[in-house]
Amino acid sequence: MHNLQQLLVGISVKKIWGSTDLSVKSICFDSRKAVPHSCFIAINGSQLDGHGYISMAIAAGSSVVVCEWLPESIQENITYIVVYSTAKALGIMAANFYEQPSKKLTLVAVTGTNGKTTIVHLLYHMVRKMGYKAGMFSTIYNKVLDQTYPASHTTPDPLQLQSLLHLMVASGCQYCFMEASSHAIVQERLAGLYFRGAIFTNITHEHLDYHLNFSKYIQAKKKLFDHLPATAFALMNQQDKHSPVLLQNCKAQKFTFSLRDVADFRAKIVTNTLHGLELALALAHQSIWFQLLGAFNASNLLAAYGTAQLLGLNSEESLVALSAIPPVLGRMNRVHHGKSQQVIIDYAHTPDALQKVMDTLHAIRPAGSRLIAIMGCGGNRDQQKRVMIGKILSQNSDIAIFTSDNPREEDPQEIINAMQQGVPKAALPKVLHIVDRAMAIKTACLLAHANDLILIAGKGHQYYEEIKGVKYPFFEAKIVQEILVDAKAV
């Protein structure tokens, strides 16, 4: 049980109706999870308004209601707290409920359109290999030490986030690394968190179905850096022109990393192959071999190394640890084909990420080999990028197969037709339409010659295909393996 007055510390309150001298057993923002002596927080969300469920929460036992406006009917013996933002109040109250766990360890956030998952995984595995206890929040899964917890969102809701942070502290974790999505920042899911630092990777076309325009998307990312304390660090990608904009109101200590420009942390690609990267790091005064593929991963590795230095970790030990980390699940994963073709599975689902992956594969593919690329676009999401992805896919591959990718409530063929609008006339003969994604993968394997590269983009680590509200099992790595086994048997 927690005292309500303590839970309200740090919250901007407009009005209080009732007593605050009472105990709270739990916090919830879903009325179905309300129990006796719970506090229900009415979130005014994009799809549902929690204010419409206040009476249900009270009926289930909630004795405290946090809202942005009072309901028409005020019930006796119920305390109503009217605040300016219930979303922000949820984050702060959750932090207070779990005794401010983010202040008891070193918490670092990573934000940007691409690279968040890879950098978080690099940092988590780096410190674990160095002997430290740590946790992480990522798109793929969450970790407390070596225990894995499912991730339904890139950044969890505040209750789940604070609960897991509390568990990390109880488990002795010294570090936590987390992805900070633009949705989470705008929805105040980071409220109540204390950051030791934040990393910016890049910002390109993505999530405009939610943010409506690119300017609002930038402002969402900027909000993370606006709220960093002076004791924190902000590590920015010098190669992204938006970095200065994000730092305009930032009080934190500012640092940069770059593979090209003058920066605090610099590196040069010495060797870039299908087996990994060799980087020469300016501060380390040596070349190091890493298992990750591609120039964009060189940037991710540099960001991880720079963060290690800003956290005061040993330079040589951090590099040894980073060099031992394999590619992240669904990020430039290689699958060898029986006839020497190689299949690359990558999560790239934005125009910028797709272009970088294809540029990388062109740079490192064997002489005379072809690139066969398979990709679709998600349904009920940003429609503007479909034309761009269709253009990039068709222009940068020898054979492009447009297919399904979580069509959700849309007709997958209509999504493919939208992608087709971006195909230049000269590239039309190279494009195939195969709605069935498994058949598209099988077709690519059948069409591939020796030494050809097959890129399967868009889904990466995902284990499902979402169609009409149902998530059907679909894990590409497993499907590829099954196809290769069948091919060997023939």
Side-chain angles (χ1 to χ4, degrees):
M1 301 290 281
H2 292 70
N3 183 272
L4 177 58
Q5 294 175 351
Q6 294 176 333
L7 295 181
L8 294 174
V9 172
I11 296 175
S12 297
V13 176
K14 292 170 66 176
K15 184 178 181 180
I16 297 176
W17 186 287
S19 174
T20 58
D21 186 19
L22 48 86
S23 296
V24 172
K25 182 179 181 180
S26 65
I27 298 173
C28 65
F29 59 93
D30 183 340
S31 61
R32 294 169 296 184
K33 296 182 179 179
V35 296
H37 305 294
S38 64
C39 172
F40 174 70
I41 303 179
I43 304 296
N44 184 14
S46 57
Q47 297 182 338
L48 293 174
D49 185 355
H51 291 77
Y53 297 85
I54 290 176
S55 60
M56 295 177 63
I58 292 174
S62 290
S63 55
V64 179
V65 172
V66 178
C67 51
E68 293 180 7
W69 56 85
L70 287 171
E72 293 183 7
S73 176
I74 302 297
Q75 298 194 31
E76 291 186 20
N77 301 320
I78 302 298
T79 297
Y80 297 87
I81 312 291
V82 183
V83 299
Y84 293 92
S85 168
T86 50
K88 190 171 184 178
L90 173 61
I92 296 172
M93 291 185 74
N96 290 337
F97 187 89
Y98 287 103
E99 301 173 344
Q100 297 287 341
S102 65
K103 291 185 177 181
K104 299 175 183 177
L105 45 65
T106 297
L107 178 63
V108 176
V110 184
T111 196
T113 306
N114 306 311
K116 297 187 297 296
T117 301
T118 296
I119 293 175
V120 163
H121 278 252
L122 286 171
L123 289 168
Y124 166 80
H125 288 290
M126 176 189 72
V127 297
R128 293 293 286 141
K129 288 179 181 296
M130 294 173 71
Y132 296 100
K133 293 182 177 181
M136 74 171 181
F137 297 100
S138 84
T139 300
I140 302 176
Y141 47 68
N142 303 319
K143 283 273 195 180
V144 178
L145 298 179
D146 296 322
Q147 181 66 44
T148 300
Y149 296 84
S152 58
H153 295 81
T154 297
T155 309
D157 69 69
L159 288 175
Q160 183 186 12
L161 200 159
Q162 294 290 348
S163 173
L164 285 173
L165 279 171
H166 179 75
L167 182 57
M168 290 177 197
V169 172
S171 301
C173 291
Q174 298 133 294
Y175 296 96
C176 177
F177 305 101
M178 68 177 292
E179 294 186 51
S181 70
S182 58
H183 291 68
I185 296 170
V186 169
Q187 294 169 7
E188 298 287 3
R189 279 184 250 160
L190 306 187
L193 293 178
Y194 178 83
F195 291 105
R196 174 65 181 84
I199 305 162
F200 170 65
T201 60
N202 59 13
I203 190 163
T204 62
H205 186 109
E206 176 69 327
H207 300 309
L208 299 194
D209 56 313
Y210 180 82
H211 297 291
L212 302 181
N213 60 59
F214 197 65
S215 176
K216 289 183 178 180
Y217 183 37
I218 293 174
Q219 290 304 310
K221 299 292 188 186
K222 182 177 182 296
K223 188 174 180 180
L224 172 63
F225 296 94
D226 288 349
H227 289 87
L228 287 178
T231 53
F233 66 81
L235 179 58
M236 316 299 287
N237 182 359
Q238 182 76 1
Q239 293 175 229
D240 192 290
K241 63 182 180 181
H242 300 101
S243 287
V245 176
L246 270 65
L247 290 176
Q248 284 175 353
N249 302 310
C250 180
K251 304 181 190 70
Q253 302 172 67
K254 305 170 183 65
F255 300 90
T256 55
F257 67 94
S258 177
L259 296 172
R260 185 180 62 210
D261 308 315
V262 175
D264 297 297
F265 301 99
R266 290 178 293 147
K268 178 182 179 182
I269 298 175
V270 179
T271 308
N272 186 9
T273 75
L274 273 170
H275 302 282
L277 284 162
E278 182 184 0
L279 299 181
L281 290 105
L283 291 181
H285 304 294
Q286 59 183 315
S287 295
I288 308 292
W289 181 265
F290 301 96
Q291 297 182 44
L292 277 62
L293 315 180
F296 56 92
N297 271 327
S299 181
N300 293 334
L301 285 160
L302 181 57
Y305 174 71
T307 301
Q309 300 312 290
L310 294 174
L311 293 176
L313 299 175
N314 181 276
S315 176
E316 184 175 346
E317 289 181 14
S318 62
L319 287 173
V320 170
L322 286 170
S323 68
I325 300 173
V328 180
L329 179 67
R331 271 68 177 173
M332 292 296 278
N333 291 159
R334 265 190 324 139
V335 181
H336 290 278
H337 191 288
K339 297 184 294 182
S340 297
Q341 299 96 327
Q342 296 193 63
V343 181
I344 309 290
I345 296 176
D346 192 83
Y347 186 55
H349 60 283
T350 68
D352 178 69
L354 178 62
Q355 186 67 64
K356 287 177 178 176
V357 166
M358 300 193 84
D359 286 346
T360 287
L361 294 180
H362 279 298
I364 63 180
R365 66 177 177 170
S369 66
R370 300 179 304 167
L371 177 58
I372 302 173
I374 306 162
M375 189 171 176
C377 290
N380 305 110
R381 294 294 187 268
D382 186 355
Q383 297 187 14
Q384 297 180 37
K385 69 180 183 182
R386 294 174 183 176
V387 172
M388 292 185 278
I389 285 176
K391 181 179 181 181
I392 293 168
L393 206 67
S394 60
Q395 284 187 323
N396 292 273
S397 58
D398 296 288
I399 300 174
I401 303 178
F402 293 1
T403 189
S404 175
D405 182 349
N406 294 332
R408 299 182 178 87
E409 301 299 326
E410 288 194 66
D411 180 348
Q413 186 59 60
E414 290 301 317
I415 298 174
I416 290 172
N417 293 342
M419 294 172 63
Q420 184 70 20
Q421 297 302 310
V423 179
K425 189 174 181 179
L428 288 173
K430 301 190 295 181
V431 178
L432 301 176
H433 292 187
I434 304 176
V435 173
D436 186 313
R437 193 174 180 95
M439 183 57 68
I441 295 171
K442 186 172 183 178
T443 300
C445 291
L446 291 171
L447 291 174
H449 300 156
N451 295 320
D452 283 352
L453 292 182
I454 299 171
L455 169 66
I456 309 173
K459 295 184 72 66
H461 65 279
Q462 291 181 350
Y463 56 88
Y464 61 85
E465 179 79 345
E466 186 177 346
I467 304 171
K468 301 295 183 182
V470 179
K471 290 185 176 181
Y472 297 93
F474 194 98
F475 188 47
E476 288 179 335
K478 181 181 179 181
I479 289 171
V480 170
Q481 292 291 354
E482 290 173 351
I483 291 171
L484 300 188
V485 169
D486 289 343
K488 289 178 181 178
V490 175

